[in-house]
Amino acid sequence: MNPIIEIGDHPGMRVAVYPGSFDPVTNGHLDIIHRAAKVFDKLIVAVLNNTSKNPLFSVEERTELLWQATRDLPNVEIDSFRDLLINYMKQKNAHLIVRGLRAVSDFEYELQLASTNRKLCEDIETFFMTSTPKYSYLSSSIVKEIARFHGPVADLVPPEVERALRGKYGSGSS
């Protein structure tokens, strides 16, 4: 039996998980989400609750911002997890992981993750999606740094994230 054909909530449904911290979600993330939503029957965007990091936004805030930014995509579900990704995948009966690649420098780290996940569970496959060139430089860290110094982020994040960043850092208007 081919696990890609018989997975998810219904036989034949292709369920993929796009995991990440999304602190905050950027237009680069949304590009991957929109493109992956066209490929898979159901895409679960899973916000990682990494207790070893000190995120700007809480898991609840990140989940809400993602929901607001993707509410027009009927086959996208927003969720969060704090366990191993493989355990989360099993819980969701999903076998496909979506990962975005911005640059060649991302590939080594992502290959290591994909290989580790595959070692932990042979039924898991990772699909790499390359970033659209206009977002290849974009990261949540860059967005937070610009916003922290009250720089313009409107072209980098959805409007709800821009408002949330202004709320965290102040408007910076003089």
Side-chain angles (χ1 to χ4, degrees):
M1 180 184 302
N2 184 342
I4 295 175
I5 295 172
E6 298 296 333
I7 62 173
D9 299 330
H10 305 287
M13 183 180 237
R14 293 171 302 167
V15 179
V17 174
Y18 179 29
S21 58
F22 306 104
D23 185 40
V25 62
T26 68
N27 287 342
H29 293 127
L30 290 176
D31 174 59
I32 297 292
I33 291 168
H34 280 267
R35 291 168 45 216
K38 292 177 186 174
V39 175
F40 302 105
D41 298 314
K42 180 178 179 181
L43 178 67
I44 303 169
V45 181
V47 178
L48 174 61
N49 184 2
N50 187 341
T51 55
S52 66
K53 289 189 175 184
N54 187 20
L56 178 64
F57 293 99
S58 71
V59 170
E60 294 78 19
E61 289 171 318
R62 288 179 274 155
T63 302
E64 176 64 22
L65 289 169
L66 271 161
W67 179 83
Q68 289 177 25
T70 61
R71 64 181 173 256
D72 63 323
L73 300 171
N75 65 328
V76 172
E77 174 185 318
I78 308 301
D79 197 10
S80 65
F81 71 104
R82 67 177 330 141
D83 198 355
L84 282 176
L85 177 58
I86 294 305
N87 294 340
Y88 179 78
M89 300 285 293
K90 289 176 182 176
Q91 174 191 341
K92 291 295 184 177
N93 197 23
H95 297 266
L96 310 168
I97 300 170
V98 174
R99 298 296 293 175
L101 296 174
R102 292 174 293 201
V104 174
S105 57
D106 288 345
F107 183 73
E108 187 174 349
Y109 174 72
E110 293 295 342
L111 178 62
Q112 186 179 23
L113 284 180
S115 297
T116 301
N117 287 333
R118 183 99 168 123
K119 174 72 174 158
L120 293 172
C121 183
E122 290 181 356
D123 292 337
I124 299 294
E125 293 290 345
T126 300
F127 286 78
F128 296 112
M129 297 188 82
T130 56
S131 175
T132 300
K134 76 180 195 176
Y135 299 124
S136 63
Y137 67 93
L138 188 55
S139 71
S140 295
S141 298
I142 287 173
V143 166
K144 287 186 284 193
E145 188 71 6
I146 294 168
R148 190 175 98 173
F149 292 103
H150 310 295
V153 294
D155 291 341
L156 309 177
V157 296
E160 48 274 351
V161 173
E162 181 186 17
R163 285 188 297 276
L165 284 165
R166 279 198 311 262
K168 292 284 185 182
Y169 292 121
S171 67
S173 54
S174 6

